[in-house]
Amino acid sequence: MNLRIFGDPVLFHLGPVPVTETMVSSTVVSLLLITVAITLRYIVCSHPEHWLSVVAFMTVESFDNLVEEIVGRSHTVVSTLAGSLFLFIAACNIAGQFPGVHPATGSLATTSALAVVVFLSVPIAGIQTNGVWDYLKHYFRPNPLLMPLHVISELSRTLALAVRLFGNIMSGHLVVGLLVALAGFLVPIPIMALDLLIGLLQAYIFTILSTVYIGAAISAVEE
Amino acid sequence: MSPTVTTFLFEAANFLVFATVLGWLFFKPVRQAITNYREKFEADNQLAAQNLAEAEKVRKEIDDTHAHLQAEMNELRASELEVIRRQADQILMEARAAADREREQSHLQASRMSDVQQDRLGEVSAMVTAEMVKRLLEQIGGPDLQSSLIQSACQRLASFSQDSIAPVKIESSLPLSEEQVTEIKDALGSAATSADFRMVDGLGVGVRISTAKGLIDASASGLSQFARQSLVKEMQRQSNNDNPNQSVNDV
Amino acid sequence: MDDQTILAIVAMAGASLTMALGAVGAAIGESRIGAAAMDALARQPDEASSITRTLFVSLAMVESTAIFCLVIALILLFSNPFIDTVVQ
């Protein structure tokens, strides 16, 4: 039994760059999603009354509403980021349910990359909304002594974001693999169903938490 | 480069590219479409509200017109009714007048008819009376009646002035006796010379003496004629005295 | 008992302890969340969708502590960073 928990098998080398399985699966998922999105966009532009365009409307509307609810105002960039996060993570998690597919989110490198993107977009959003000085001042409030705690909390929540997603997806995958190895065919189906739920839930949580972090940075001065 | 770092960097880049592409190719146009849809919806809503207001206005207008027409119609109906009532009244009055006229006419006719009948009745009764008087006189007739009649004629003759009564004609149906002739001649006096005695049918008893001053009819036929004439005169006087309307109402 | 065996024993014990304590904490937390959610649902059935959404998010966040423990245990067991020093 080959338990892959932290390492990614390198499939081939593209020049000096090693191409891992995670990269391939995430690329495939991204391309699939982009294809679907372009198709939906074409349908939206050509047949606005088609049910698929209604699906697209609902998708975009739900993310916009989510961001408006959490941030307090509508913010297209944030909602685009949140929607992309949710769609990518959910697609990766669902793709992990297919046999032989290694989910991209089951790799700590991917989840930490996503978490770092969120981590970086927090100050970017804060600075863009409030200006550098105002944004930096909010680290020293309510007391300058709390500045290290602010920084640590930002770092730790990024770590938690990464590890939570990774742990959930990886453990679900691991449990399914163990069950297949121990009990055999068809036995892990309930666990796989739970994994499906957990995957969607984790994608939702990741999206919500990143939106909350970014929204907190946007409205940091107003507090 | 280690595979983990490569994967990390690649995933970060992959996600950023993915988010950008999705934002540009999916979120932005769909958001635009949603905005367009909302605008269209809003415009449709506004148009519908406008149409509704217009329809409301038109309905109000129609209602007004309807009410107006209704009022006009009521007015027209009332005036028509008034005209019809007046016409009916007129017709009724005319009919009543015609009926009155008719009634009056018929009353008049009836009264005239009654008058005519009365006249005829009078005439008949007069004729009957005359006949009866004549027959009575004939029945009681005889030499006494003859002589008394001649005596009365003579008395009347004596009232005339004797100069101017000539020529005198004495007519009788029955033959006159000598005494009677002399009696008449005495009464005539000076005119007795020109007296002309004749026999005439239809006189009955008595004599008829015609003089230049007048006729003295002392015969049965003359008496009956006199009775008839006086009867007719009496009846005419009575009918003239009667109130015609009262007689009509009595009918 | 060489160092490798000691390390293996300690790693397994640490992983078991981590997993056990983490699971206990997460279980207690999740049970409290479930009870509170049921209470809230009984009080306000109209807010069922919002409560359910918050419940799932809270459950996942609490669950993540157990997942952290699982990750630590797995690190201890399968990719122990000290194995190199011991092997050397």
Side-chain angles (χ1 to χ4, degrees), chain B residues 171-233:
Chain B
E171 293 163 327
S172 66
S173 293
L174 300 173
L176 298 172
S177 59
E178 286 298 321
E179 295 135 32
Q180 283 163 345
V181 170
T182 48
E183 195 177 356
I184 290 168
K185 276 184 177 169
D186 285 349
L188 285 174
S190 58
T193 51
S194 63
D196 177 20
F197 288 91
R198 279 187 201 177
M199 292 294 286
V200 179
D201 280 345
L203 282 180
V205 292
V207 291
R208 186 164 59 192
I209 305 163
S210 54
T211 65
K213 285 275 173 86
L215 182 72
I216 297 165
D217 197 349
S219 66
S221 72
L223 279 176
S224 71
Q225 207 143 359
F226 176 74
R228 185 181 146 204
Q229 271 170 4
S230 63
L231 190 66
V232 166
K233 211 180 285 175

Side-chain angles (χ1 to χ4, degrees), chain B residues 16-140:
Chain B
L16 285 177
V17 169
F18 171 74
T20 314
V21 170
L22 215 61
W24 274 106
L25 290 186
F26 182 64
F27 279 89
K28 203 177 173 186
V30 171
R31 230 173 249 138
Q32 188 64 41
I34 288 172
T35 313
N36 290 346
Y37 204 75
R38 284 240 174 85
E39 274 169 8
K40 190 175 157 238
F41 185 76
E42 202 67 32
D44 281 1
N45 227 355
Q46 217 155 0
L47 196 71
Q50 212 170 326
N51 281 350
L52 191 71
E54 218 160 294
E56 203 71 33
K57 210 167 70 183
V58 168
R59 205 192 68 167
K60 205 175 157 227
E61 258 171 45
I62 288 173
D63 277 359
D64 280 356
T65 314
H66 188 247
H68 192 67
L69 277 179
Q70 195 81 24
E72 216 163 273
M73 211 162 74
N74 281 342
E75 211 170 302
L76 214 71
R77 197 180 290 161
S79 65
E80 199 97 343
L81 211 66
E82 190 61 32
V83 166
I84 286 171
R85 196 171 293 147
R86 213 172 296 150
Q87 271 179 349
D89 281 354
Q90 205 173 345
I91 287 170
L92 199 66
M93 260 158 56
E94 273 174 17
R96 201 169 285 161
D100 279 351
R101 241 190 345 263
E102 196 87 9
R103 199 171 58 177
E104 221 155 303
Q105 214 161 359
S106 67
H107 280 165
L108 216 64
Q109 215 163 356
S111 67
R112 207 175 293 150
M113 262 166 69
S114 72
D115 278 358
V116 167
Q117 277 177 345
Q118 222 167 359
D119 285 356
R120 199 176 294 163
L121 190 69
E123 214 146 321
V124 167
S125 56
M127 259 154 67
V128 167
T129 310
E131 204 65 34
M132 269 175 62
V133 166
K134 197 175 170 183
R135 213 182 306 147
L136 211 62
L137 286 176
E138 274 167 7
Q139 272 177 1
I140 58 173

Side-chain angles (χ1 to χ4, degrees), chain A residues 25-49:
Chain A
S25 81
S26 69
T27 309
V28 169
V29 165
S30 310
L31 288 177
L32 264 174
L33 274 179
I34 286 173
T35 313
V36 169
I38 288 173
T39 313
L40 276 181
R41 183 218 170 181
Y42 171 74
I43 289 172
V44 164
C45 289
S46 54
H47 314 292
E49 310 294 333

Side-chain angles (χ1 to χ4, degrees), chain A residues 8-217:
Chain A
D8 275 337
V10 177
L11 294 177
F12 54 91
H13 279 78
L14 208 71
V17 181
V19 175
T20 60
E21 205 179 340
T22 307
M23 290 161 77
V24 173
S25 81
S26 69
T27 309
V28 169
V29 165
S30 310
L31 288 177
L32 264 174
L33 274 179
I34 286 173
T35 313
V36 169
I38 288 173
T39 313
L40 276 181
R41 183 218 170 181
Y42 171 74
I43 289 172
V44 164
C45 289
S46 54
H47 314 292
E49 310 294 333
H50 199 273
W51 68 273
L52 279 173
S53 69
V54 175
V55 168
F57 285 164
M58 283 172 69
T59 311
V60 175
E61 273 285 283
S62 63
F63 287 120
D64 283 357
N65 288 340
L66 185 80
V67 168
E68 197 172 349
E69 219 170 277
I70 291 171
V71 177
R73 75 183 92 148
S74 77
H75 201 297
T76 53
V77 177
V78 175
S79 76
T80 304
L81 182 68
S84 304
L85 274 174
F86 180 84
L87 290 176
F88 181 70
I89 295 169
C92 284
N93 294 347
I94 290 169
Q97 298 297 318
F98 290 105
V101 178
H102 180 71
T105 44
S107 150
L108 194 57
T110 312
T111 57
S112 47
L114 295 176
V116 165
V117 166
V118 173
F119 172 76
L120 291 179
S121 46
V122 166
I124 289 174
I127 287 170
Q128 201 186 19
T129 315
N130 306 309
V132 181
W133 187 237
D134 279 342
Y135 179 71
L136 287 182
K137 255 197 328 196
H138 109 275
Y139 280 104
F140 299 94
R141 261 192 299 156
N143 196 317
L145 286 177
L146 292 177
M147 197 271 278
L149 285 182
H150 273 289
V151 174
I152 288 170
S153 113
E154 288 211 356
L155 289 174
S156 74
R157 79 190 183 192
T158 307
L159 182 71
L161 212 57
V163 174
R164 183 187 297 120
L165 181 59
F166 159 70
N168 271 288
I169 305 307
M170 182 272 295
S171 66
H173 220 63
L174 190 65
V175 168
V176 171
L178 278 172
L179 272 177
V180 168
L182 293 176
F185 190 51
L186 289 181
V187 174
I189 283 179
I191 302 295
M192 287 178 78
L194 185 67
D195 269 3
L196 207 58
L197 173 67
I198 284 177
L200 290 173
L201 203 59
Q202 290 303 323
Y204 182 64
I205 286 168
F206 197 102
T207 311
I208 290 267
L209 286 178
S210 18
T211 314
V212 166
Y213 297 157
I214 296 172

